[in-house]
Amino acid sequence: MESTETLLLQRHDVARLLTIGECISAVEQAFNLYACGKASAPGILGIHATQGGFHIKAGILNLGRNYFVAKTNANFPGNSKTNRLPTIQGIVSVFDAENGRLLALMDSIEITILRTGAATAVAAKYLSREDSKIVTICGCGNQGEVSLRSLMEVRRLETIYAFDINKQQAELFAKKLSRELKIPVTVVDDPGKAAKRSDICVTCTPSRKPFLRPEDIRPGTFIAAVGADSEGKQELYPEILATGKVVVDLLEQSKKIGEFQHRSQASQDKCITAHAELGEIVAGTKPGRESGEEIIIFDSTGMALQDVAAAAIVYEKAISGNIGNKIDFSMQESGIALLKKKRKGY
């Protein structure tokens, strides 16, 4: 009889089990499987709360074993100021999609950060110029760090510009990453001026007002627009989308929560359409970069299949390495009986 125990993994477990390189490969495979019709469309649900919100992303992938993964994340931007809790908190539930068994529960933060950075790297691999050397990172939190490390896996970067509305955060980012990557990271006060000198620009901020303008983007630039992942969030002026080639992770999702939700705000004479979903480019059914002068924008809203691919790696490595704790949720009655015995003094 198959075990009914569920594996429990904390954030530090996930961090040591999932590498950036592995995650990039897994995410690229997930996009390819979806585009080739070998994976069902993933689902998403967003719920607003008074001071923040919750979103649930779920999907199924057959990766040798058939996995269903549901990720529930809470996003409360005011936490750092009021109660010192993380802005984002959440959990990933991993199931066997053949029999419904709950295989694992794991902290969601590392998976979310890594799979998002991995998608940026996959997009950069197909959509940025191969000779790209200069990058601007807008948003110097955890996602900015992982985005930069992920880009280093696919491009030979030589110069980094870092911008954050919190300059102290940007300075910490620059000190840490320049030492780690052994390339210069320069803090800038104006993201637009930095973007003008860059081959790649990554925006991963919580902004609800656009801050990059069309005149900030030079021909040949690749932009990974990561921050807009819920209703109302925005980092790019819509005219940027009108001047470039737009690639999305999931079209219907991007229309609702990505930069693409703001497409109607562009000038009346500029019709904004999506060129392709990233999976179509990975699978080779649509072209990626077709010239060195193209401006290409990747609207990254976070596809649930990325979570499935990343969580599967973590689960399989944890099982093989005997890492984490286990609990049997089906033994609730025995637990209650034991609690009653303790109360009676047995």
Side-chain angles (χ1 to χ4, degrees):
M1 182 177 178
E2 189 174 10
S3 171
T4 56
E5 290 183 323
T6 298
L7 184 65
L8 304 178
L9 296 171
Q10 295 177 276
R11 181 173 179 177
H12 65 85
D13 296 319
V14 178
R16 69 174 174 150
L17 288 168
L18 184 61
T19 69
I20 289 175
E22 288 173 326
C23 198
I24 291 172
S25 297
V27 165
E28 184 172 10
Q29 180 189 18
F31 276 110
N32 184 61
L33 289 172
Y34 179 64
C36 293
K38 296 180 181 179
S40 301
I44 182 171
L45 173 66
I47 303 291
H48 293 289
T50 305
Q51 301 298 326
F54 299 86
H55 71 244
I56 301 170
K57 291 181 176 179
I60 291 179
L61 273 181
N62 193 325
L63 301 168
R65 184 173 193 163
N66 211 5
Y67 289 102
F68 169 81
V69 168
K71 183 181 74 177
T72 302
N73 269 2
N75 190 326
F76 283 71
N79 275 359
S80 60
K81 298 177 182 178
T82 58
N83 52 30
R84 297 188 179 180
L85 288 171
T87 298
I88 298 176
Q89 303 166 84
I91 194 165
V92 171
S93 307
V94 182
F95 293 81
D96 187 322
E98 297 296 329
N99 57 29
R101 179 190 158 204
L102 177 59
L103 301 173
L105 295 173
M106 59 186 75
D107 183 87
S108 71
I109 305 306
E110 288 298 317
I111 283 179
T112 299
I113 294 169
L114 283 170
R115 63 79 152 149
T116 303
T120 295
V122 172
K125 174 182 173 181
Y126 288 90
L127 303 175
S128 70
R129 300 192 328 269
E130 290 187 11
D131 63 350
S132 295
K133 297 177 181 178
I134 305 171
V135 63
T136 291
I137 303 290
C138 299
C140 296
N142 289 330
Q143 193 60 65
E145 290 187 19
V146 172
S147 295
L148 182 52
R149 293 191 190 102
S150 298
L151 286 172
M152 293 292 293
E153 297 283 321
V154 297
R155 290 291 178 260
R156 295 182 179 225
L157 303 178
E158 296 179 357
T159 303
I160 313 298
Y161 296 115
F163 169 78
D164 197 285
I165 196 168
N166 181 340
K167 190 170 183 178
Q168 184 179 16
Q169 181 69 34
E171 288 170 347
L172 290 171
F173 175 96
K175 183 178 180 180
K176 178 180 179 180
L177 273 298
S178 59
R179 182 174 60 246
E180 176 187 324
L181 302 177
K182 295 180 172 49
I183 54 176
V185 180
T186 304
V187 175
V188 296
D189 295 320
D190 187 333
K193 288 182 179 179
K196 284 180 183 178
R197 301 192 291 267
S198 298
D199 306 308
I200 296 173
C201 185
V202 180
T203 60
C204 44
T205 76
S207 179
R208 289 183 171 270
K209 293 182 180 179
F211 55 84
L212 282 184
R213 302 175 183 274
E215 55 266 32
D216 297 330
I217 309 302
R218 66 181 182 179
T221 301
F222 166 67
I223 304 170
V226 177
D229 59 358
S230 62
E231 291 180 12
K233 294 178 75 174
Q234 185 178 15
E235 298 174 306
L236 311 180
Y237 278 86
E239 285 75 16
I240 292 179
L241 306 182
T243 59
K245 175 185 284 184
V246 180
V247 176
V248 300
D249 48 12
L250 287 173
L251 181 57
E252 292 308 311
Q253 189 168 294
S254 293
K255 286 179 179 179
K256 296 176 182 177
I257 64 174
E259 287 292 337
F260 211 55
Q261 69 183 288
H262 305 291
R263 63 196 181 280
S264 62
Q265 296 174 8
S267 301
Q268 294 286 337
D269 60 336
K270 294 182 177 179
C271 179
I272 299 175
T273 59
H275 164 70
E277 292 186 334
L278 181 57
E280 294 175 302
I281 293 170
V282 172
T285 59
K286 287 191 178 179
R289 176 169 289 278
E290 296 177 274
S291 80
E293 298 297 301
E294 278 186 309
I295 293 171
I296 304 182
I297 303 97
F298 173 50
D299 192 7
S300 177
T301 58
M303 180 176 69
L305 299 182
Q306 297 168 232
D307 297 310
V308 183
I313 292 174
V314 173
Y315 172 72
E316 290 174 5
K317 289 178 73 174
I319 290 296
S320 64
N322 196 28
I323 295 169
N325 297 308
K326 293 181 180 179
I327 187 171
D328 193 335
F329 288 107
S330 67
M331 299 296 289
Q332 289 182 20
E333 290 185 4
S334 296
I336 292 171
L338 180 61
L339 181 60
K340 288 179 178 178
K341 286 185 178 180
K342 286 182 177 179
R343 286 176 176 171
K344 289 181 180 180
Y346 284 91

